[in-house]
Amino acid sequence: MTVSEIISLFEEFAPALYQESYDNSGLQAGNKDDEVTGALITLDVTEEVVDEAVDLGYNLIISHHPLIFKGLKSITANDPTGRIIIKALQKKINILSIHTNADNAGEGVNHYICRKIGLKDTSILCPLEGKLLKLSVFVPEDHAQNLREQIFNAGAGMIGNYDFCSFNTPGTGTFRGNENTNPFSGEKGKINIEKEIKIETILPVHLKNRVIKAMLAAHPYEEVAYDIYPLENRYSRYGLGMTGYLEGEVNQKDFLQVLKRVFKTGCIKHSRLTGKEVKKVAVCGGSGSSLLGNAIASGADVFVSSDFKYHQFFDAENKIVIADIGHFESEQFTKDLFYELLMKNFPKFAVRLSEVNTNPVFYF
Ligand SMILES: [Zn+2]
C-alpha cells in the first residue's frame, strides 16, 4: 500500500475540494510513492506522536489537524512545527491531515458525534454552496438510456436521497463535419439533422472528471456537445455541523450529563439553561461558535460545540443552550472515524490510534 492509495481512500470519503478556504488538508510532509509500513492516527501531530510512530516502525501519521496551517518562511529546530517536520523527514515519516473536509463530509466528524450522542434523522446544519454543477448533454434518442446509466453510475443525478435524477427533452440536433471527420450518422461535408435528447442532470464538483469521462465513453459521437455550468444550490451532502433528534425528550441537565459521560470532558461551559426539554440537537466538532446563528435558526434546543467566547454566550439568549464541551473532547472520535474507514477498506493494514493525549488544555 502506498501513501497515495491511502490519500485516494480519504478523497472518496472527504474530498479535499470540500475543505474550508483557510484550511491546509492533505499530505503535509513525505512522499506519495512511499510504501506504507503502518499508520498511526492522531488529532494533532506533536513530537511525541512522531516518536511513537518511529517506535512502532510506522511511517505514516494521519492527523485531523494539519501540521502546517499557516505559510512557513523557514523550517528550523527553533519552533515546534519546524522540529516536527525535521524529525519526520529524517525518520522518513509521512504526515497526512484530513481536517475541514472531514468536518464537512456527510459521513464525517459530525455524523460520528451524532452517532455517539444517539441522534437520529440527521442533516447537515450548514450545507456547502457553489459545489454543484449542471450538465446538459445532447445524444441520439437510441443512446440516451445507456448514456444516462453511465453518467448516473459515475455519480451524477443525486438529489438528497434520490438518485437517477434527470430531465430529458426531445429535439433536433444539426451538424456538419469537415473532411477530417467520421460522423456517427450522415456524411462528412453535408448538413445532418438528427433526433436527439437533451439530458440535464446535476453533479457535485468532485465528480466532474469522472462523470465527463463516463459520458464521453458512452456517447456515440466523436465530438460530444455538452455544457457544464455552476449552480448556486446548496449541497445537502456536505457542510459544517449537523442536526439530529434524540429518541425522546430529555431534561437539559440530564442531557449535559450525557455529554459529560460520552465526551469524558472535565468541564462543560454552557449558557443559561432555558428549562425546555431537549429533543433537537445541533453539533459541530471543533470551533463551531460561528455556526451559532445557524444552530438557532435550525430550531435546535442545544448546540454542542467548542471555543465559544464570553460574549457569544449572551447571544444564545433564551433560544438555545450552548454546550461548550472542549475542542479536543468534541473531536476525539475523529480518530475512531479514520480508524474504521481504514479497517473497512484495508482490513489487513497495520493501523493504530496514537496513545499520546495531545490535548493542550488541562482542567484544574
Ligand atoms: Zn479541531
Side-chain angles (χ1 to χ4, degrees):
M1 181 104 48
T2 59
V3 172
S4 176
E5 285 169 89
I6 305 273
I7 293 175
S8 303
L9 172 67
F10 278 98
E11 269 299 304
E12 286 287 322
F13 150 74
L17 260 174
Y18 299 145
Q19 63 181 303
E20 295 295 310
S21 57
Y22 56 80
D23 199 5
N24 187 38
S25 291
L27 191 62
Q28 309 284 298
N31 181 350
K32 275 200 242 187
D33 302 326
D34 277 2
E35 217 33 75
V36 180
T37 55
L40 184 63
I41 301 173
T42 181
L43 266 195
D44 308 278
V45 187
T46 62
E47 282 188 85
E48 292 107 296
V49 173
V50 177
D51 291 337
E52 190 185 13
V54 172
D55 291 345
L56 286 166
Y58 288 2
N59 66 350
L60 175 63
I61 293 172
I62 302 176
S63 72
H64 183 46
H65 293 137
L67 170 65
I68 302 169
F69 205 57
K70 291 174 261 173
L72 295 177
K73 297 237 168 163
S74 60
I75 299 169
T76 68
N78 304 107
D79 71 273
T81 306
R83 278 198 298 280
I84 294 165
I85 295 171
I86 292 168
K87 188 180 265 187
L89 294 179
Q90 279 170 346
K91 303 284 183 185
K92 295 199 171 359
I93 305 266
N94 295 278
I95 299 172
L96 172 65
S97 306
I98 305 103
H99 190 212
T100 50
N101 39 337
D103 294 327
N104 281 327
E107 305 274 301
V109 173
N110 294 306
H111 187 255
Y112 208 101
I113 292 173
C114 289
R115 227 173 87 188
K116 294 300 270 191
I117 305 177
L119 301 179
K120 306 268 184 286
D121 299 330
T122 55
S123 48
I124 302 276
L125 176 61
C126 203
L128 293 179
E129 287 179 10
K131 304 295 182 193
L132 290 170
L133 302 169
K134 173 75 86 180
L135 167 66
S136 301
V137 55
F138 306 84
V139 62
E141 276 177 349
D142 294 351
H143 289 78
Q145 179 65 17
N146 179 49
L147 185 71
R148 270 192 302 268
E149 278 172 23
Q150 298 308 316
I151 57 178
F152 291 155
N153 288 339
M158 304 269 283
I159 301 177
N161 290 322
Y162 289 81
D163 58 4
F164 286 67
C165 302
S166 70
F167 192 81
N168 300 269
T169 326
T172 306
T174 67
F175 50 82
R176 179 171 72 178
N178 68 17
E179 65 275 16
N180 301 320
T181 60
N182 181 22
F184 169 74
S185 59
E187 285 174 51
K188 63 173 94 172
K190 289 193 177 159
I191 296 172
N192 189 52
I193 296 175
E194 192 73 29
K195 276 191 174 327
E196 291 177 347
I197 301 284
K198 179 187 186 186
I199 304 172
E200 290 174 275
T201 188
I202 200 165
L203 62 135
V205 286
H206 75 284
L207 296 179
K208 185 172 134 187
N209 291 342
R210 195 185 293 179
V211 170
I212 291 177
K213 203 171 152 201
M215 176 191 73
L216 295 178
H219 201 292
Y221 288 178
E222 58 179 356
E223 290 293 347
V224 179
Y226 67 97
D227 308 317
I228 289 191
Y229 35 99
L231 298 179
E232 291 188 9
N233 304 39
R234 293 176 130 204
Y235 188 17
S236 62
R237 290 172 162 258
Y238 285 86
L240 284 175
M242 199 162 260
T243 58
Y245 295 86
L246 293 168
E247 206 73 73
E249 295 197 339
V250 177
N251 174 287
Q252 287 175 340
K253 280 189 181 160
D254 291 343
F255 183 67
L256 292 178
Q257 205 63 51
V258 170
L259 295 180
K260 236 179 130 97
R261 179 171 45 78
V262 171
F263 293 93
K264 294 182 220 75
T265 179
C267 154
I268 296 177
K269 285 198 284 182
H270 64 86
S271 59
R272 187 192 295 277
L273 298 183
T274 61
K276 252 184 83 187
E277 298 286 293
V278 183
K279 175 74 180 159
K280 186 172 186 180
V281 178
V283 307
C284 183
S287 304
S289 64
S290 63
L291 300 186
L292 178 61
N294 301 76
I296 293 172
S298 78
D301 303 305
V302 180
F303 183 30
V304 183
S305 190
S306 75
D307 295 348
F308 288 87
K309 291 182 184 159
Y310 176 78
H311 290 285
Q312 291 175 310
F313 284 86
F314 286 108
D315 297 338
E317 296 187 278
N318 253 344
K319 298 174 191 148
I320 201 164
V321 174
I322 293 170
D324 186 332
I325 60 170
H327 191 123
F328 178 90
E329 286 81 357
S330 73
E331 292 185 323
Q332 62 190 297
F333 304 121
T334 308
K335 286 163 73 176
D336 304 291
L337 170 72
F338 291 175
Y339 181 87
E340 285 174 20
L341 182 72
L342 284 164
M343 281 292 104
K344 203 168 103 192
N345 290 279
F346 310 124
K348 291 188 182 142
F349 185 54
V351 187
R352 276 207 208 192
L353 301 182
S354 169
E355 285 173 10
V356 179
N357 179 356
T358 59
N359 190 0
V361 179
F362 293 82
Y363 301 100
F364 183 69

